[in-house]
Amino acid sequence: MKWATACLTGVDSSVAVSSGGELFLRFITLTSLEHQDLSRCKKMMEERGELFLEKISMSRSKVAKLCHTFIKDGAKILTHSYSRVVLRVLEKAAAEKKRFSVYVTESQPDSAGRQMAEALRKLNVPVTVVLDAAVGYVLEKVDLVIIGAEGVVESGGIINKIGTYQMALCSKTHNKPFYVVAESFKFVRLYPLNQQDVPDKFKYKADTLKTVQNLSEEHPIIDYTPPSLITLLFTDLGVLTPSAVSDELIKLYL
Amino acid sequence: MPGPDKEIDLTERIEAFLSDLKRGGSGSGPLRGSAETARETTALLRRITAQARWSSAGDLMEIIRKEGRRMSAAQPSETTVGNMIRRVLKIIREEYARSRGRSEEADQQESLHKLLTSGGLSEDNFRQHFAALKANVIEAINELLTELEGTTDNIAMQALEHIHSNEVIMTIGRSRTVEAFLKDAARKRKFHVIVAECAPFCQGHEMATSLSKSDIETTVIADAAIFAVISRVNKVIIGTQTVLANGGLRAVNGTHTLALAAKHHSTPLIVCAPMFKLSPQFPNEEDTFHKFVSPQEVLPFTEGEILSKVNVHCPVFDYVPPELITLFISNIGGHAPSYIYRLMSELYHPEDHEL
């Protein structure tokens, strides 16, 4: 199992994979392994594995159910890059017949924002793609900012695609609510105090780490947003203020 | 026959309470204090538990939820009704769990831990019948009522720790809790109070009269003078109508101004709010802030012609974000606004947030 996780993180170094993998490991090993028979143990582990998968696949819907009431009719929403959770939230709001329009940042270097815009166009939501540099410009028109997260750290801050920290700083200055939507398996046992504290294995893609000599010339693909800039976190455990996140993590790991 | 008579009596009482709620919340007039509403709601819920027909905890919870929905719909801005219903629902869950012999901590909240260790998608049915459940629930509701009766005194008891001699305290409008708080401190200390009158209902005037009857030096100022006067003030102590789930407040109109002025001068803002005012609502959700009353207070009908050309609004409530608040003083002690989520998880069960 540990080998499999290492293999996975070797291919796609993302925070969500690492935290999800860790939780999965704990989940299936936390059951009583008193059975002498190895094959029975194995079968139990498989069952619990399936159960875990089932639970977390429902979590996205739970998050969407909590968040869509915060989107008022006529709202203008700003989001960053491509996030399936944010997409689900907006789907739910659109299904509730709310009218809203969305601004998505392009999100270089992989232009994931365009993918998000395509998906939103299919839902008949008016969407505008803006440059990453245009966040400050567009914020005065926007009512709220909703973004996803790749990882939620112990302090209540988040790790997400590069550009999120900027967006959070600008929203704080403009006094716009900054909402984060994340499933609970993304909670990770990290406590970064600044951007440098985030481990390199998350900041750069795995193949970059392997091939490149001088890391300081590479562009990081994620950044850390401190909890003071976040208004609320929507998770399948409920609506949390950033200070409540560490409580949840303690409950898990105690 | 005693059976149907009791039921008719019960429905009559519920109807009377509902119409009282609908009337009582129409703006000015004898604004009934939230403490009385909380007490009456709890007493009514106790009566429902005692007199309605139910055989298992699940039935009782359904009945209470149904009545609860009607009661909160009667006066949505009076959140204490909903809060008391959620408290009673949590009491029922706890008593049920205790009867079943499990520890209460175990399966109450969703958590990552529960996600990992539970053996399946468990749904607690609350269907089992326990004979002693009725008596236990009624006893627990009685404890809740005793707690409600003592709240103002508990808060007032903490006054001496926060108010020192020769201080200037500012407050806004009229809050029975703050009144008791200040009067208790006045027994041993000498201090000065400035009350902002809080237009258009001007409840600040009554507050000032009441305070001066207890020999407290009081000054009344207009709302516009708040910023001018606040540089001389040591502390701001206010009451509130509701405490929201993120630690923010839904307080009387004008409180946000006072809070911003206090922040600008780095004056501590202390909120005296009993626990029954804590509500699981968030400020940006729909329907949190829609209470307006007759604009007669702002621009009277005697103004005549101008009324057809002008839009007049008279909102009752104001939102104060948690960053502007220094301390909450409640009947169980003092807390920082970032701790409110914890108190909420102790008082209410997450499934009851939506009645």
Side-chain angles (χ1 to χ4, degrees), chain A residues 43-199:
Chain A
K43 191 159 169 294
M44 264 217 85
M45 283 217 202
E46 274 170 27
E47 273 170 24
R48 287 181 75 75
E50 292 294 321
L51 189 59
F52 188 68
L53 279 173
E54 204 182 309
K55 277 196 183 177
I56 63 181
S57 63
M58 290 199 305
S59 53
R60 223 175 260 168
S61 323
K62 280 195 213 170
V63 174
K65 196 169 117 185
L66 281 173
C67 189
H68 79 270
T69 48
F70 282 66
I71 300 177
K72 298 201 174 78
D73 211 22
K76 298 203 184 61
I77 303 174
L78 174 63
T79 184
H80 185 60
S81 189
Y82 179 66
S83 163
R84 281 164 292 196
V85 194
V86 177
L87 199 54
R88 184 72 84 84
V89 169
L90 296 176
E91 261 173 36
K92 182 108 206 230
E96 300 279 324
K97 301 278 189 288
K98 293 209 186 134
R99 290 163 297 185
F100 55 91
S101 60
V102 181
Y103 293 91
V104 190
T105 50
E106 241 188 348
S107 176
Q108 297 293 0
D110 54 359
S111 287
R114 298 195 181 273
Q115 218 183 338
M116 183 76 162
E118 267 317 300
L120 283 171
R121 274 190 204 111
K122 291 208 187 86
L123 294 172
N124 283 328
V125 172
V127 58
T128 317
V129 178
V130 297
L131 294 174
D132 297 342
V135 167
Y137 173 78
V138 108
L139 258 171
E140 57 185 32
K141 303 186 231 183
V142 156
D143 296 315
L144 68 157
V145 184
I146 304 184
I147 55 159
E150 293 197 25
V152 180
V153 297
E154 262 182 75
S155 58
I158 57 164
I159 294 186
N160 197 28
K161 186 83 186 289
I162 189 101
T164 312
Y165 181 37
Q166 240 152 253
M167 204 181 272
L169 275 173
C170 293
S171 331
K172 185 81 180 181
T173 320
H174 285 261
N175 264 321
K176 306 284 179 183
F178 189 81
Y179 298 134
V180 174
V181 285
E183 303 100 312
S184 58
F185 66 81
K186 291 179 174 165
F187 281 29
V188 70
R189 291 196 78 182
L190 269 181
Y191 206 116
L193 296 171
N194 54 22
Q195 302 298 335
Q196 248 187 332
D197 274 352
V198 181

Side-chain angles (χ1 to χ4, degrees), chain A residues 27 48 55 72 179 243, chain B residues 115-116 118 284 286 338 341:
Chain A
F27 184 72
R48 287 181 75 75
K55 277 196 183 177
K72 298 201 174 78
Y179 298 134
S243 40
Chain B
L115 199 67
L116 292 200
S118 60
N284 294 19
E286 316 224 44
S338 54
Y341 75 91

Side-chain angles (χ1 to χ4, degrees), chain A residues 27 30 48 54-55 62 69-70 72 98 177 179 184 232 237 239 243-244 247-248 251-252, chain B residues 109-121 245-246 282 284-286 338 341-342:
Chain A
F27 184 72
L30 223 57
R48 287 181 75 75
E54 204 182 309
K55 277 196 183 177
K62 280 195 213 170
T69 48
F70 282 66
K72 298 201 174 78
K98 293 209 186 134
Y179 298 134
S184 58
L232 284 176
L237 305 171
V239 185
S243 40
D247 231 25
E248 288 296 327
K251 273 195 244 164
L252 167 66
Chain B
Q109 314 276 14
E110 277 277 353
S111 74
L112 282 177
H113 187 76
K114 188 174 160 215
L115 199 67
L116 292 200
T117 55
S118 60
L121 300 166
N246 66 339
F282 278 93
N284 294 19
E285 275 178 308
E286 316 224 44
S338 54
Y341 75 91
R342 190 59 182 269

Side-chain angles (χ1 to χ4, degrees), chain B residues 289-301:
Chain B
F289 274 98
H290 303 168
K291 185 166 183 192
F292 291 81
V293 294
S294 158
Q296 149 88 348
E297 312 286 339
V298 177
L299 193 61
F301 292 122

Side-chain angles (χ1 to χ4, degrees), chain B residues 56 260 324:
Chain B
S56 70
L260 283 171
L324 302 176

